[in-house]
Each structure stands twice: as structure tokens, then as C-alpha cells.
Amino acid sequence: MRKHVMALSIQAALISALPLVAVTSTALAQSATDTEAPVQQLETVQVTGSRIARSQVEGPAPITVITAEQIKQAGIVSVPDLLRSLNQNGGETQSEQSFTGSQTTPGAQQVDLRGLGPNHTLVLINGRRIADFPLPLRGRSNFTDIGNIPLGMIERVEVLTGSASAVYGSDAMAGVINFILKKEADGTTIDYRYGNYERGGGESHTLALTSGFSNDKFNAIFGLELKHKQPLWGYQRKIQDSREDNPDAEEREPRETFLRYDDYGYNIDPGALCDNVSQLNDGTTGRYEDEYGFYCGSQKWIGYGTIESERESANAYASFNYTINDKLSWFADVQLGYGKVGVLGAPLDWRFQDPDAYRGDRGYFRNADSGHVEYWTRRFAPEESGGLDNAMTRTTQKTLGIATGFKGTLGEDWDFEALLNHSQYNAEVRFPRVIAAAANQQFLGDAMGYDDYGYGIYEPDPNNFYRALTRAEYDAITATSVFKPKARSDTASFTVSNTDLFSLPAGPVGFAGTVEYGTQSYHINPDPLALTPYYYGARYGDGNGDRSHWGLGGELRAPVLDSLTVSAAGRYDKYSYGDVDPGKFTYNLGLEWRPLDSLLVRGSYGTGFRAPDLHYLFAGRDFFRSTHRDYYNCRLEEGDAAPDGDCRRGLRQAGGRDEREGNQNLDYETSKSFSAGFVWSPSANFDLSLDYFDIKIANQIEDQSPDKILQDEANCLIGNDVQGNAIDPNSPTCLDAVPRAIRDEDGVLLGVFFQPVNISQQSTSGYDFSAHYRLETGLGIFGFRMGYTYFDTHDSKQFAGDGTIDHFAINSGYDIPRTKANATISWEKNNWGASLHGQRLGRLPTSDSYDEVWQEGDASPWVGATYRYNGSVQYRFNDNLKFSLSVDNLFDKMPPKDNTYTSYPYYDISWFDSVGRSYYFNITYQFGGSAN
């Protein structure tokens, strides 16, 4: 009877229409009246984290289940919004308004479970792998793009946190997110949603169609989702449309749009020449002064970037199943996606760049007229480019996923699935760029050779520099650089399972085994000219590679006692790439103890691994235009206080070009994951759960930080850090950092060479709590759900022998919350329904961890916890027609004030945005099906 009771309640939790986001389904028991109902035969289901079908969703590790109806009622309008709301999603991700993102992975979005990095979360669709986004995150690591997964085709989402490599192989270290798409259609449903922002910008339209048909042998469902969304611009939000929004009054000078300075770092006064360009940037360009002198600038230019991307997309999905006989059926799932994304980090700019000059990459040249070494730079205005639309980076995305095979039974007790899974992601990315030689000629004139110090000699006319370009002149010095990256993943697998392999006194033992073989590849396919100094700015390098792998695994689930179930899984994976063939065995152990029908005590332990990302291995030599503080020379010149003070500009902007390439000597990463907790459900209307988690990653691969390398180099060469602590020049950090700073024979910093490396360790631990309550009254049915995650620790260190970095410390360089929570209150009666959904983000450190103000006790080093609320109301007119209104950010909250956050847009874009209150009107019409 116990198993029947638990299965009924868990199935009820899965199909519940109560709104829920990021709350684990935890119902375990029905009321006493329900337990006396006749026993029914229940179907088993396969749950993320195991290949053994079972009647209970709850197992040794907590699973978060989010249904389509719950998503809609909570006011969630996109997959990235859904995953950002997860309590377990505790890491910084790349915002849509990230300048780095617009330059490297335009339009793509990520998820970061437990804050361990986007590439440590395995994303599946219908339990199957999908191809990576074909450009690496920040130009470095591969990841899965969640921005183009169609929300309207999702039936439910299952989230498992912790190591799951024993089931899924590589990548499942922080957890698994499994998007289960719809398998059945009840008639034909048309769904239209209109969205808009109260403060302007970002209008959207989404149209979804779902239908299908079936007979005794054949079942088919297909869906189509069309979406159009206008961009949201920085200038459309008052808190970030101007440098006047900077919380530091000393940094509110307009952005330099025309700037010249000498090798001592002092501006060259343009005088009345600023009047020649006063019409640019909507008439806001003028002559201003900062601590270095006079320049031409604009308050408005800084707002010429997108907060949210422009998007147009069409996604189609179809699922087919044909019953050949009572022991064999054929299935196929097909996904097609086509999208166009427009994003702008900032309009183009230019400074002198001469690859043949000894020091040309630093942007300096010898002015024959003045005799000085000078630096000239200017930023292009919308009036010159023909509007901001012409300055956007535009990406065309094409995705294809095909999974097909056979499933059925062998003999009486064995189920099997033979699967071929293909996934590919092709893109065309069009980057606007400045043609270096053409722009040099336009602004500086003809080259006149080189001086004795290696600087190029020019005799430019300032009148030619301080003037607006015509559209024809702008087009003559700019071009579109086209990349055609692609990625693919192919897997063949065969899985067998038996829910009654043999019987123990307490019940049958379940077993599943799988064998798979797969290949994976990527190719950036860059514009050939982007690998040369032809374009001004970053020289985005190439990268391409492939690898194969095979895996063999098995699972057992055994009821040792009537109240005690144990499970075990093991898997061996072997990869082959280059000249290496690394292999790894991983395992999982689980325990479920049910001393009462209403109580589950559970625990799990697992090991995991991740093979190095393809781009970590095969990245070609990339060259990045750099702006670094030369900590070593700065401290020699101005003392140990200089890094927190102000080096002269020549040192503050030292360095011209960073270099990066892949590392085929990387080892795979490994992890250990432990969880323990309980689920208590005294009735079907109330349950709660509490689970402890602890994840440790060893040999984690990360790119070295160029800024950190330069800080370490200065400490190592000087022999102490800025606090006066002695530094061992023979420490692992020093032996690695000093050679990576690229300097000429005079000690001038030219750049930094960095690579991906295996760091020593990263770990995190904490607690997940969830609760659910349902109350039926004469006024309607009320529901309450909440989830809360507390991160107790999050530590890392780069090399063995280095000190441990506490990511929650205010001076750690990491901005992650210790707590995340959400709660949903819902009501439904007859044809009406309403819900209120709230999210809480715990406090974050202020931007400037070394701010003397708070160190003296006059201010807090923390940005306090923030709250956001969504509200929705629904009304069903009849069986066919339903209307709903959702309001996101109900109280129109803007990002919290952080007086130390002086970098644009003056708030942490990993956690906040300035979208404000938004409205979504949704109409759903259904015809055919059971409702009619």
C-alpha cells in the first residue's frame, strides 16, 4: 500500500496547475480517506538522473519539476527568465547588455547552476544532448545557448543538481536541466501573447500553434512558435542614459568622443574645434574638462547600447510514434529553429593602430607637427553610421535536432531503446568593424616612416580629425566581418532496463544499462581578415576541433527493506582527441528511507567529470586589444598605494595586445557531490523538504585573468603585495605569472599571454528548502509554494599551494548572493484564477571592495537584498477561449543603488536590469480535443 500511496501523490504533484517556479515536487502521501481507495495500476515514468523507470518522482537526490502551466501563471515569458528564477542558479551569467557578450557570443544566453560556471551545467532536451553554441563564451569556453529554446513547446522542466556523470557522462557536474517537450496534443491550440514595457522599448509578439493527431498505431504532435521582439536601448532608461547617472560625482564628465593626449597622459586641448562636431550625438557633443585636461565629449553617447536584444525567431517541433506491434515501436523527435538577433554593445570607435610599428599596438604615434608622441581616438556617432541599426552585430541562428530510433520489449521483462541523436547549431555572425589602414589614412594622413624609438610618424590635421564624417566616408573606413561558426553533436546509444530483474523480500530490483558512442565538433569559421591586423580592435582567432567518445554504464535500484531503497550507478567514459585518449569511471550511490508513509529521508553521493571544452583545447592564437594597468611600473613610480590610487595615464592604459591560445595538455575535471535531506508530507495538501548539498570540483579549467597575472607579477617582482605581506618569488603563482607579462627590453608592458589551465579546486555547499500548502475553501482554492537556497560556502584557489579565495568575501572579486528565494501564492475559483509570484535575491558586495568609505565604517560594503514580484490574472470564457494578463516587476523596481558601482551602466548586469514594469496579454484558443 505504501508504494501506491506515494505514487498517487507524486503524480498529483506533477499535474498540479498551481503556479510554481523552482520548487521541488515533494508530495508523498494522500489523506487517510484516499489511502483506503482501491489499488490502481500506475504507469512508471523515467525521471532525470536515472534511466530506471519508477512510479515515484522523488528519489535519493531532489528533483525540481516545473510545469508549463506553472511557468505561465508565474509570469515567466522566456527560458532565460525561467532559469534565472531558479534558487539553484547561483552564478553570474552574461547579460544581454554585456559588451563582452555582444563582441563574442551575440544573442546567446546561459545558465549557471550552483555558481560553478555555465559549462558545468548539462542541458538536455527530452533527455538528449544538444549542440553547443558555436562561438565560445567570452571567447573562451563552450556552453549551451538557452536563449533559443521555445518556451511555448515545453511540457515541463526537470532540474537535478549535483554530479550525475554516472548516468549522463561528461558535463553533469553542477547539475542537469532537462527540458521535456510536449508529446501529446489535445486538439489544436493557438496561443498569442503581446508584451510591452511601461517605460518604453522592447515590444514583443509571440504566436504559438500546437496540434496533432493519433489513431491506434500512430501518434503525432507538432508545434510552431513565431516571435518578434524589438530591442530595448540604454538611452530609453533614465538611470543609464547619461554619464550624469554615475554615482561618483567626480566621474560624471561626458564620454570622450574625440580625444588626443600626449605620452605624459595629458589631454591636448581641442579648443574651438569641438564646435565642428557639436551636431553629433543628437546635438550633445561639446568641449569638456576632466582631470587630464580638455576634450570633446557627449553625455548621451554612453547610452547607445542594447539592454535587450532585437529578436525574430521561428521554432518548429514535431514528435512521432508508430506502434509496429505490441513489442516494438518507432519514434522520432524533430526540432528546427531559425532566428535573427541584433545586439549592440557600443558603436564603433577608432584609435591609431599600426602592426608594423615597434610599439604601434599601444596606439601611440609621433606627431611631426608637435614633435610629441601622441594618442588619438574617436567614437563614431549614429549620425555618421546612418543610425544605430547599422551599427548592430547581427546573428542568424539555425538549429536542427533529430532523435529517432526504436523502443520496445525483449522477452517478457526487458525494455530497450535504440537511439540515434543528431544536433547541430549553425550561425552567421556579422560584426561591424573599422578597417585599420583606411581609418589611419582618414584621420592621420600619409605615413612618414618611423622614428628611432619605433613609433610611426604622421603629420595629421586636427581640423580633419574634429569633423563629422559623411555616410560615404563612414562606409569607406568600415566593413562587415562575417563569421560562420558551427557545432554539432552525434550520438548512437542502446539502453536496456528491467524494473523486475529479480526480487528481494521487500520487492523487485530494477536495472538499466546503456552503451553509447558519439562525436562532437566545432569550427569558428572566422572571416579570414579577422585573423590579420586588417581590422581595428580585437583579432578574433580561429578554433576548430573534434573528438569522439564512448561510454558504458549501468544502474541498480533495490528495495533492501520495505522502508529502505538503495541505488547505485556506474559508468566508464573514454574520449579521443589529438594524441590523447583520457578515460574516467564515475559512480553514484543513493539511499531512500521511508520510516513513515509521510516521511522520506534521503541521501546521495556521486562523482563526476568533465572533458575539456573543445575551445579550451583547440583555440587558435587570439589577439585582444587590451587596456591594462601596469601594476609593476606603477608601484615603482608611485608606491604601493598606486594600484588603489591613480597611475599616470601612460601606465594606467599600458599594454597593447593580449594573446591567448588553447592548451591540449589540459586534464579533465573531476567532482564529488553529496546531498542529504528529508521530505515530509503529512497530507496531500502540505509538504516540505530540506536538503544539504556539497559539491567539490578538482582540476577545474578556467582562463587565467590578465589583470590578476599583472597584479601577481608586480607582487612577485617587488617581493610583497600592496598590504606589505611578503611574497615568495618561487611560489607556483610567481613562477607562472612573471613570464606571462609581455614586455620589451625597456620593460614597457605590451600585453599578457594567458591560457586555460587546470586550477586546483572549487567547492560550494548549502541548503535547499521548499514547501507547499493547498487549501480548499468556499472562496476558492488557495495555494502557496516557496523555495529557498542558502549557500554556506563557495571557495576556490588557482594553484595548489595558493591561498583559498572565499567567493562571498567582499574583496574576493566575485559578486554572488548567499541566498535566493521565491514564493508563489495562487487562487482559483470557477473560471477565474490569479497568482502573485515573488523572488528574493540576497545581498551582494558593493562594486568597490576596497572603498575607504566603508572601511572607515561610514557605509555598508553590501548591497541589500532585493525583491521582485510578478502578478497574473486569468479568466476562462468557455471551454475554448482563455485570457490572461501578467505584469512582471509589479512595483517597477529598478536596480539597487550602489554608490561604488562607477562602471556603466552603474549596476551589476549579471543580476539586475533596468527594464522596469512590463505587461503581457495572452489569448489562448482551443478547438477540437476533449474540451469540446
Side-chain angles (χ1 to χ4, degrees), residues 18-338:
L18 288 175
L20 162 67
V21 175
V23 178
T24 308
S25 72
T26 56
L28 286 179
Q30 291 280 19
S31 65
T33 302
D34 292 336
T35 61
E36 296 172 1
V39 174
Q40 303 174 16
Q41 183 65 37
L42 298 174
E43 294 185 0
T44 57
V45 294
Q46 183 172 313
V47 180
T48 300
S50 175
R51 299 184 187 275
I52 303 174
R54 62 178 190 256
S55 57
Q56 297 95 349
V57 173
E58 291 293 0
I63 302 289
T64 297
V65 180
I66 312 162
T67 69
E69 187 65 19
Q70 293 161 1
I71 294 169
K72 182 178 292 187
Q73 292 187 4
I76 304 297
V77 296
S78 71
V79 168
D81 286 345
L82 168 65
L83 298 185
R84 272 193 294 269
S85 72
L86 287 172
N87 294 337
Q88 299 91 337
N89 186 9
E92 297 175 271
T93 54
Q94 193 167 265
S95 163
E96 284 194 86
Q97 64 176 315
S98 164
F99 179 82
T100 301
S102 68
Q103 299 297 307
T104 58
T105 52
Q109 295 174 274
Q110 323 88 41
V111 61
D112 186 0
L113 290 180
R114 302 304 191 200
L116 296 173
N119 58 343
H120 294 97
T121 299
L122 177 60
V123 178
L124 307 172
I125 294 182
N126 291 337
R128 298 149 191 160
R129 290 175 177 262
I130 56 178
D132 290 331
F133 187 75
L135 289 177
L137 181 65
R138 299 183 180 92
R140 301 176 183 183
S141 63
N142 301 107
F143 70 101
T144 301
D145 178 19
I146 60 170
N148 65 350
I149 297 176
L151 187 72
M153 298 179 189
I154 294 174
E155 176 180 300
R156 70 181 186 275
V157 182
E158 297 178 354
V159 182
L160 168 71
T161 55
S163 301
S165 292
V167 177
Y168 297 108
S170 177
D171 308 339
M173 301 182 78
V176 181
I177 300 178
N178 190 7
F179 293 91
I180 310 297
L181 304 186
K182 296 176 180 178
K183 291 292 185 180
E184 295 181 357
D186 188 14
T188 299
T189 301
I190 300 176
D191 194 279
Y192 169 74
R193 183 178 70 240
Y194 169 79
N196 211 339
Y197 299 148
E198 183 176 290
R199 295 173 181 254
E203 180 181 275
S204 64
H205 303 265
T206 305
L207 178 66
L209 169 69
T210 305
S211 189
F213 57 89
S214 62
N215 55 36
D216 292 342
K217 288 184 173 293
F218 187 68
N219 179 74
I221 179 176
F222 50 87
L224 176 66
E225 182 179 86
L226 306 176
K227 184 172 185 177
H228 170 77
K229 184 180 183 302
Q230 296 179 354
L232 176 60
W233 296 94
Y235 66 80
Q236 294 178 301
R237 292 296 181 266
K238 290 186 177 180
I239 71 167
Q240 63 181 88
D241 65 347
S242 167
R243 286 283 289 265
E244 287 287 344
D245 301 314
N246 197 310
D248 188 343
E250 296 182 357
E251 297 191 26
R252 292 176 184 168
E253 299 93 351
R255 171 72 78 181
E256 306 96 332
T257 52
F258 293 82
L259 175 65
R260 299 180 298 159
Y261 60 80
D262 58 28
D263 55 345
Y264 292 98
Y266 294 105
N267 294 351
I268 301 171
D269 189 353
L273 292 175
C274 289
D275 295 339
N276 298 341
V277 291
S278 61
Q279 76 275 25
L280 296 180
N281 301 302
D282 200 22
T284 64
T285 304
R287 180 172 175 262
Y288 299 93
E289 183 181 13
D290 63 13
E291 59 185 310
Y292 300 106
F294 290 95
Y295 64 95
C296 300
S298 165
Q299 282 285 7
K300 193 168 184 178
W301 190 92
I302 202 168
Y304 293 149
T306 49
I307 298 174
E308 292 188 341
S309 307
E310 176 184 77
R311 288 180 180 269
E312 292 183 352
S313 63
N315 288 280
Y317 168 71
S319 180
F320 308 99
N321 189 84
Y322 178 73
T323 302
I324 299 173
N325 55 48
D326 60 354
K327 290 184 175 292
L328 183 64
S329 63
W330 167 81
F331 66 90
D333 295 336
V334 181
Q335 304 157 53
L336 288 169
Y338 179 86

Side-chain angles (χ1 to χ4, degrees), residues 368-434:
D369 185 49
S370 68
H372 293 295
V373 173
E374 296 178 359
Y375 175 103
W376 289 25
T377 183
R378 59 109 75 207
R379 306 176 194 274
F380 298 104
E383 292 88 350
E384 296 174 298
S385 64
L388 292 177
D389 285 349
N390 294 327
M392 297 179 81
T393 295
R394 299 192 176 275
T395 304
T396 301
Q397 304 169 338
K398 300 176 182 179
T399 59
L400 169 65
I402 301 175
T404 186
F406 296 91
K407 58 184 177 182
T409 59
L410 298 171
E412 297 297 326
D413 301 316
W414 290 89
D415 296 324
F416 77 90
E417 178 186 86
L419 170 70
L420 293 174
N421 182 45
H422 168 78
S423 178
Q424 65 183 49
Y425 198 135
N426 296 341
E428 181 182 88
V429 187
R430 305 179 68 85
F431 296 99
R433 292 183 183 269
V434 174

Side-chain angles (χ1 to χ4, degrees), residues 692-694 763-766 790-795 806 808 818:
Y692 171 79
F693 63 87
D694 188 342
S763 63
T764 185
S765 64
Y790 175 82
F791 290 89
D792 185 41
T793 63
H794 196 140
D795 303 322
D806 178 2
F808 294 120
R818 190 180 288 275

Side-chain angles (χ1 to χ4, degrees), residues 24-25 47-49 54 57-64 159-164 557 567 588-592 600 602-605 673-677 679 691-692:
T24 308
S25 72
V47 180
T48 300
R54 62 178 190 256
V57 173
E58 291 293 0
I63 302 289
T64 297
V159 182
L160 168 71
T161 55
S163 301
R557 179 179 172 85
S567 55
N588 277 17
L589 301 173
L591 180 70
E592 303 163 62
L600 166 65
R602 60 188 176 190
S604 67
Y605 178 83
S673 174
F674 171 76
S675 69
V679 183
D691 291 277
Y692 171 79

Side-chain angles (χ1 to χ4, degrees), residues 844-860:
L844 296 168
T846 56
S847 174
D848 189 351
S849 300
Y850 297 100
D851 187 0
E852 293 180 359
V853 174
W854 70 256
Q855 288 186 14
E856 294 172 357
D858 295 331
S860 171

